[in-house]
C-alpha cells in the first residue's frame, strides 16, 4: 500500500525538502509539500522506466561531500593552468569504458566528470558502453581513466548496486 | 568592510561579463557564442545575488532562480538545434 | 561576532568573483572550443557557489534564522551545468570544429 503510494521514497522526501526550502517552513507549506511529494512521483511514474534503488544512503552523502572537495581542489589546479601559458597545456580526448549500465547512474557519472573542472564529458556511445571525455591537461590517459573508474564509477556502483 | 568586498566582487563579475561579451561577439563559431551566452547568464545570477546582498533584500532570489531555469532550457534548446537542425524531433 | 560574519561573507564573495573572472579569462584566452568549454564549469561551480554561500551566511546571520533558500540555485546549477556542457560539446563535434593539433585522441563522429 505504502509502496504503491510512494513508488520513489527518496524522491518524495527530496521534493518535500525542496518545497520547504523554496517557500519557507510553515505548517501550511508542510501540508502542501507533502501533497506535492505524493502527487508528483505518481504523476511522473510513466516517465521513469527503471529507476535504480538507492542502496547506501550514507555512501551517497559521502560521495557528494567527496565530489565537492574534488571540485575545490580541481578548481585551483585548473585556475593555475588557465593563468599559465596555453602552450603548456596537453589536451586530450579520452575514451573511458563504462562498467555501470544503469542510465541514471551513468548520468550521475557524466555530471560528476563535467563538474570537476579539467574534464568535460563530451559523448556517450549509443550502447552506453563508453564515454568520451575531453581533458584540459592530461599527462597520462591511463591515469585519468583509472581515476574516473576508481574514484567515481566504483562508488556509484556501490551506491546503486547496478 | 562588507561594502568594500561587495564593490570588489561587483567589479570582478563585471570584468568577467565583459570578457564573456568579447567571446560572444568574436565567435568564431556558433557553439563558442552559445557557450559565452551560457556563461553570461550564469554570471548574471551571481550579479543578481550580489545586488540582493548589497541592498539587503531577499526579493531578488526569485529572479536569480528564474534566470537559472530559463538560461538552462535555452542553452539546451540551441545546442540541440545545432546538432539536429531541429529542437523537437 | 558581527565582524567575523562580515569577514566570512567578504571572503566567500571574493572567492566567487575571482573564480568567475578566471573562468571567463579562460573563455577568452584558450585556443580552441573544447578547451574553452572548461572555463565556464568553474564559473558555475565556485564562482556562483561562492556568491551564494556569502548570501547564505549573511542573511542567516542578519535574520537570526537558517536561510537556505539560495542553496536551490546552486543545486539547480549543479544539475544543469553538466548537461549544457555535454550538449554543447556534442554540437561542437557535430560541426567538426577545429581543435588544437597536439590534442591526443579524436572526437567521435556524430
Amino acid at each position: 500500500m505504502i509502496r504503491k503510494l510512494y513508488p520513489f521514497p527518496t524522491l518524495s522526501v527530496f521534493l518535500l525538502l525542496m518545497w520547504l526550502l523554496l517557500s519557507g517552513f510553515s505548517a501550511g507549506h508542510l501540508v502542501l509539500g507533502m501533497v506535492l511529494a505524493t502527487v508528483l512521483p505518481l504523476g511522473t511514474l510513466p516517465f521513469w522506466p527503471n529507476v535504480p534503488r538507492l542502496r547506501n544512503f550514507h555512501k551517497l552523502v559521502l560521495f557528494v561531500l567527496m565530489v565537492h572537495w574534488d571540485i575545490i581542489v580541481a578548481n585551483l589546479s585548473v585556475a593555475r593552468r588557465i593563468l599559465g601559458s596555453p602552450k603548456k597545456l596537453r589536451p586530450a580526448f579520452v575514451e573511458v569504458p563504462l562498467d555501470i549500465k544503469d542510465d541514471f547512474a551513468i548520468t550521475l557519472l557524466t555530471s560528476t566528470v563535467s563538474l570537476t573542472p579539467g574534464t568535460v564529458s563530451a559523448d556517450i556511445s549509443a550502447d552506453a558502453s563508453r564515454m568520451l571525455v575531453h581533458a584540459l591537461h592530461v599527462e597520462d590517459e591511463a591515469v585519468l581513466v583509472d581515476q574516473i573508474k576508481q574514484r567515481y564509477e566504483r562508488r556509484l556502483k556501490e551506491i546503486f548496486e547496478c | 568592510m562588507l561594502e568594500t568586498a561587495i564593490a570588489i566582487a561587483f567589479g570582478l563579475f563585471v570584468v568577467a561579463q565583459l570578457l564573456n561579451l568579447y567571446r560572444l561577439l568574436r565567435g568564431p563559431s556558433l557553439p563558442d557564442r552559445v557557450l559565452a551566452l551560457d556563461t553570461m547568464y550564469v554570471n548574471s545570477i551571481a550579479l543578481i545575488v550580489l545586488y540582493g546582498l548589497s541592498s539587503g533584500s531577499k526579493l531578488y532570489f526569485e529572479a536569480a532562480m528564474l534566470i537559472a531555469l530559463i538560461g538552462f532550457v535555452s542553452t539546451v534548446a540551441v545546442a540541440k538545434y545545432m546538432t539536429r537542425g531541429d529542437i523537437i524531433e | 561576532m558581527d565582524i567575523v560574519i562580515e569577514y566570512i561573507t567578504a571572503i566567500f564573495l571574493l572567492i566567487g568573483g575571482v573564480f568567475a573572472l578566471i573562468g571567463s579569462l579562460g573563455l577568452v584566452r584558450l585556443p580552441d572550443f573544447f578547451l574553452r568549454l572548461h572555463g565556464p564549469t568553474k564559473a558555475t561551480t565556485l564562482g556562483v557557489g561562492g556568491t551564494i554561500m556569502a548570501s547564505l551566511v549573511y542573511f542567516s546571520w542578519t535574520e537570526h534564522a537558517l536561510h537556505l533558500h539560495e542553496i536551490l540555485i546552486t543545486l539547480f546549477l549543479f544539475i544543469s551545468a553538466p548537461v549544457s556542457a555535454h550538449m554543447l560539446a556534442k554540437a561542437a563535434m557535430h560541426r567538426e570544429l577545429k581543435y588544437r593539433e597536439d590534442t591526443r585522441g579524436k572526437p567521435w563522429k556524430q
Side-chain angles (χ1 to χ4, degrees):
Chain A
M1 177 60 196
I2 295 267
R3 241 309 54 112
K4 269 228 169 83
L5 202 55
Y6 294 101
F8 313 119
T10 330
L11 178 65
S12 296
V13 172
F14 181 72
L15 281 172
L16 177 61
L17 284 178
M18 282 268 288
W19 184 258
L20 289 179
L21 274 181
L22 196 62
S23 26
F25 186 85
S26 69
H29 278 304
L30 185 65
V31 173
L32 189 54
M34 275 158 84
V35 171
L36 287 175
T38 318
V39 172
L40 288 181
L42 285 177
T44 53
L45 197 56
F47 307 142
W48 300 90
N50 35 27
V51 180
R53 275 265 124 70
L54 188 63
R55 305 279 175 185
N56 283 305
F57 186 73
H58 73 279
K59 275 193 177 158
L60 180 68
V61 174
L62 286 178
F63 181 78
V64 170
L65 288 177
M66 186 192 78
V67 169
H68 276 81
W69 176 246
D70 284 3
I71 287 174
I72 294 170
V73 171
N75 252 309
L76 292 173
S77 79
V78 171
R80 240 192 354 257
R81 297 210 188 288
I82 286 179
L83 294 175
S85 161
K87 287 203 181 66
K88 282 191 196 142
L89 292 176
R90 296 168 55 96
F93 284 100
V94 184
E95 274 187 30
V96 181
L98 294 176
D99 286 331
I100 41 178
K101 292 279 165 269
D102 181 80
D103 285 351
F104 186 69
I106 291 177
T107 312
L108 277 184
L109 180 66
T110 51
S111 295
T112 312
V113 166
S114 295
L115 273 178
T116 45
T119 47
V120 169
S121 70
D123 207 355
I124 301 281
S125 66
D127 59 351
S129 65
R130 288 168 305 144
M131 168 172 68
L132 184 66
V133 172
H134 184 272
L136 184 69
H137 177 94
V138 44
E139 302 281 353
D140 185 357
E141 284 97 328
V143 174
L144 180 71
V145 172
D146 202 52
Q147 196 197 347
I148 291 173
K149 290 193 81 71
Q150 287 304 318
R151 206 168 162 80
Y152 304 126
E153 194 188 25
R154 182 176 58 80
R155 288 194 166 83
L156 282 172
K157 215 172 173 173
E158 284 169 10
I159 290 168
F160 292 107
E161 283 181 12
C162 54
Chain B
M1 166 64 201
L2 194 59
E3 284 74 31
T4 330
I6 290 176
I8 295 173
F10 261 126
L12 291 168
F13 273 105
V14 166
V15 176
Q17 287 290 58
L18 289 176
L19 291 174
N20 297 338
L21 189 64
Y22 167 81
R23 183 50 74 195
L24 176 69
L25 298 175
R26 175 81 197 282
S29 67
L30 199 52
D32 274 306
R33 293 178 208 270
V34 180
L35 180 64
L37 207 57
D38 188 70
T39 319
M40 284 185 90
Y41 94 73
V42 170
N43 283 359
S44 64
I45 294 169
L47 276 170
I48 291 174
V49 174
L50 260 178
Y51 186 70
L53 203 59
S54 72
S55 61
S57 154
K58 302 184 300 179
L59 279 175
Y60 296 95
F61 161 78
E62 267 80 10
M65 193 75 204
L66 275 178
I67 291 197
L69 289 165
I70 295 171
F72 166 63
V73 173
S74 46
T75 304
V76 168
V78 176
K80 182 92 182 159
Y81 180 74
M82 285 191 292
T83 16
R84 294 275 179 248
D86 223 332
I87 294 170
I88 300 168
E89 287 161 46
Chain C
M1 194 57 200
D2 265 357
I3 194 80
V4 178
I5 297 293
E6 279 202 11
Y7 267 107
I8 296 174
T9 313
I11 287 170
F12 273 127
L13 280 179
L14 293 184
I15 290 175
V18 165
F19 274 98
L21 182 60
I22 292 176
S24 298
L25 212 61
L27 193 66
V28 168
R29 278 192 76 192
L30 294 172
D32 73 40
F33 174 79
F34 295 99
L35 289 173
R36 288 199 276 267
L37 200 52
H38 292 279
T41 24
K42 242 173 314 306
T44 25
T45 49
L46 270 195
V48 178
T51 321
I52 300 268
M53 283 304 289
S55 157
L56 201 118
V57 170
Y58 182 75
F59 282 120
S60 296
W61 177 252
T62 52
E63 300 189 3
H64 304 287
L66 204 53
H67 196 261
L68 293 173
H69 243 84
E70 287 88 346
I71 288 275
L72 281 179
I73 299 179
T74 342
L75 180 72
F76 182 76
L77 282 178
F78 269 48
I79 296 172
S80 69
V83 180
S84 18
H86 187 91
M87 297 291 285
L88 283 173
K90 271 182 90 101
M93 289 194 294
H94 177 71
R95 299 190 144 230
E96 293 174 354
L97 290 192
K98 281 201 202 73
Y99 47 94
R100 223 166 71 164
E101 285 100 36
D102 63 343
T103 307
R104 284 162 293 159
K106 279 207 162 22
W108 290 349
K109 281 267 174 295
Q110 292 294 311

